[in-house]
Amino acid sequence: MDDRTYTADAEPGDAVTVAGWVHEVRDLGGIAFLILRDATGKIQVKFEKEEMDDDLVETGLDVHRESVVAVTGTVEEEERAPTGVEIVPESIEVVAEADPELPLDPSGKVEAELATRLDNRTLDLRKPEVKAVFEIRAEVLRAVREEFRRLGGTEINTPKIVATGTEGGTELFPITYFGREAFMNQSPQLFKQLMVGSGLERVFEIGPIFRAEEHNTPRHLNEATSIDFESAFFDATDAMDACEAVVRAAYEGVAANCGTQLEALDLAGSFEVPAEPFPRFTYEEAIDRVNATGALDEQLVWGDDLSTEAERALGEAVGSHYFVTHWPSEVKPFYIKDVDDDPDLSTGFDLMHPRLELVSGGQREHRHDRLIEGFEQQGLDPAAFEYYTKMFRYGMPPHSGWGLGAERLVMTMLGLENIREAVLFPRDRQRLSP
């Protein structure tokens, strides 16, 4: 509609055509109201029954909630209206009639289970608080891209169909690719490393990753969006500095540009940009801190992973974003470089939110012979990754990087209970449609 006016732009005295969804109809006898909702808000349409054409009144009052309508009329000032103005209609067109029985209530007056919401995502996003999550997610990705560019990164796009898994193992979705077995990629890790050996040197990617993990938890997905960074001539400290800058930039973007959305989520008064710098603890310091809390039934020992309970205990003790550095070499992937003077320690690090892990990263092994040894130590066949390993024979610089889960970032930023609330159409063990 070329002549359409958004509800937020309607001013007293304007002759307008507004279009959107029927949010509510209120019939008070001699007067009635239709509340129309569009992307910018709501506006009241007033029907004075005795003074208007019967067909016009009938059309406006008989239309079902969530039908799409176009209303043409004059905007008048009305202090009692929700937005201080209302439209006196001259015509109403029902563009698309909605069924009277809706699978969920977009007004939010009747709560719906998460499964019902996900089954009817289009209707679910008509609720301001749900729409706000995805508007904030979009701002997060915009701010992240801008910060990457400020850091001198080049955006790349890597294959999502691959011949071998990034880290091997069973966490792969196999597919048939013209008669050959292939897999959905677990991570852009190997490809972004190849790019730092090219003329690009510093790269980033925001794209899907696929993990065939049989999880069924509020914080795991089988298809996720990964925010990845890799830079030549960076060590682990440099990579952590870049990671912190990107996470803070995401928060700063939301704080600056998403006031309306934060209000819809009741976060306007509590949303804060994380303070800098983020604390950094070695793995050994982290397990000592967890053990000191007394929150676990058994004390952690060297080589243990940080369980969900351990992460929660440490997060409560720290109370902010923090890094865990110098993980044991045996628990990190083959491409993570060991500390030069201690092969039992890796340069790997994780960025943690008090609730859960957000980032995994580290300095990469850039020496060909050491890289091959890493494959063999983890039971992987280097020959299956020759497209990757051979490039390390042609001058690969030292480099570091990380991967950040976009959904986990949004989930922790907004205090969402389930990671699926940060995904339009989640993919997990049970959900393949819509």
Side-chain angles (χ1 to χ4, degrees), residues 309-330:
E309 293 75 15
E311 289 179 0
R312 184 180 299 116
L314 185 54
E316 290 176 356
V318 176
S320 65
H321 290 81
Y322 63 95
F323 288 99
V324 177
T325 70
H326 296 88
W327 285 75
S329 298
E330 63 185 17

Side-chain angles (χ1 to χ4, degrees), residues 117-122 124-125 130 134 137 407 419-427 431 434:
R117 293 174 50 205
L118 297 177
D119 287 342
N120 301 278
R121 210 40 156 158
T122 301
D124 190 43
L125 261 76
V130 179
F134 294 97
R137 176 180 168 129
E407 289 83 11
I419 196 167
R420 291 156 187 79
E421 295 181 70
V423 191
L424 285 173
F425 301 106
R427 292 292 176 262
R431 185 167 291 277

Side-chain angles (χ1 to χ4, degrees), residues 15-287:
V16 300
T17 295
V18 295
W21 289 265
V22 176
H23 186 73
E24 189 176 0
V25 176
R26 302 170 187 163
D27 192 340
L28 306 179
I31 192 169
F33 302 99
L34 180 154
I35 308 301
L36 181 144
R37 183 188 71 245
D38 67 11
T40 66
K42 304 185 188 95
I43 197 165
Q44 177 172 289
V45 182
K46 180 176 69 175
F47 297 88
E48 293 183 285
K49 297 181 181 178
E50 297 299 324
E51 300 179 13
M52 289 185 173
D53 180 80
D54 290 344
D55 290 340
L56 177 64
V57 173
E58 183 178 349
T59 300
L61 301 189
D62 288 352
V63 67
H64 298 136
R65 283 188 313 132
E66 297 307 314
S67 297
V68 178
V69 298
V71 178
T72 298
T74 303
V75 182
E76 294 185 353
E77 188 171 359
E78 174 51 72
E79 293 180 357
R80 294 168 294 181
T83 59
V85 296
E86 63 186 10
I87 296 176
V88 177
E90 298 170 4
S91 66
I92 296 179
E93 177 188 359
V94 179
V95 179
E97 181 79 26
D99 287 346
E101 297 298 325
L102 299 173
L104 58 80
D105 179 11
S107 74
K109 294 178 181 177
V110 179
E111 293 293 329
E113 297 291 332
L114 181 59
T116 301
R117 293 174 50 205
L118 297 177
D119 287 342
N120 301 278
R121 210 40 156 158
T122 301
L123 282 176
D124 190 43
L125 261 76
R126 295 180 188 176
K127 294 184 282 190
E129 67 273 19
V130 179
K131 183 177 73 165
V133 171
F134 294 97
E135 290 173 332
I136 288 173
R137 176 180 168 129
E139 173 59 25
V140 165
L141 298 184
R142 185 210 62 78
V144 162
R145 281 190 166 92
E146 186 173 299
E147 183 64 18
F148 278 136
R149 293 186 179 107
R150 191 191 69 79
L151 291 168
T154 300
E155 185 166 9
I156 60 172
N157 300 103
T158 61
K160 305 309 166 205
I161 300 174
V162 294
T164 53
T166 303
E167 299 172 24
T170 60
E171 299 173 358
L172 295 166
F173 285 113
I175 62 172
T176 300
Y177 189 75
F178 297 107
R180 291 176 288 166
E181 184 178 53
F183 304 94
M184 303 302 295
N185 205 4
Q186 299 164 298
S187 162
Q189 179 62 44
L190 306 188
F191 293 104
K192 66 179 182 174
Q193 284 187 258
L194 294 179
M195 287 301 95
V196 301
S198 72
L200 296 179
E201 286 197 14
R202 188 170 300 167
V203 298
F204 70 93
E205 178 171 12
I206 300 174
I209 60 171
F210 305 88
R211 301 288 177 99
E213 299 168 331
E214 295 192 4
H215 292 302
N216 189 17
T217 78
R219 61 182 189 169
H220 287 95
L221 295 165
N222 294 106
E223 179 183 355
T225 303
S226 187
I227 300 169
D228 276 270
F229 174 80
E230 203 78 22
S231 179
F233 305 107
F234 263 32
D235 62 17
T237 298
D238 297 323
M240 284 188 282
D241 290 344
C243 182
E244 182 174 323
V246 167
V247 170
R248 280 179 48 83
Y251 274 81
E252 288 169 350
V254 171
N257 300 314
C258 295
T260 300
Q261 290 80 8
L262 292 172
E263 286 181 11
L265 293 163
D266 293 326
L267 295 174
S270 59
F271 187 83
E272 295 182 353
V273 177
E276 57 180 346
F278 296 171
R280 300 180 184 185
F281 310 116
T282 66
Y283 167 80
E284 188 170 12
E285 291 170 336
I287 61 174

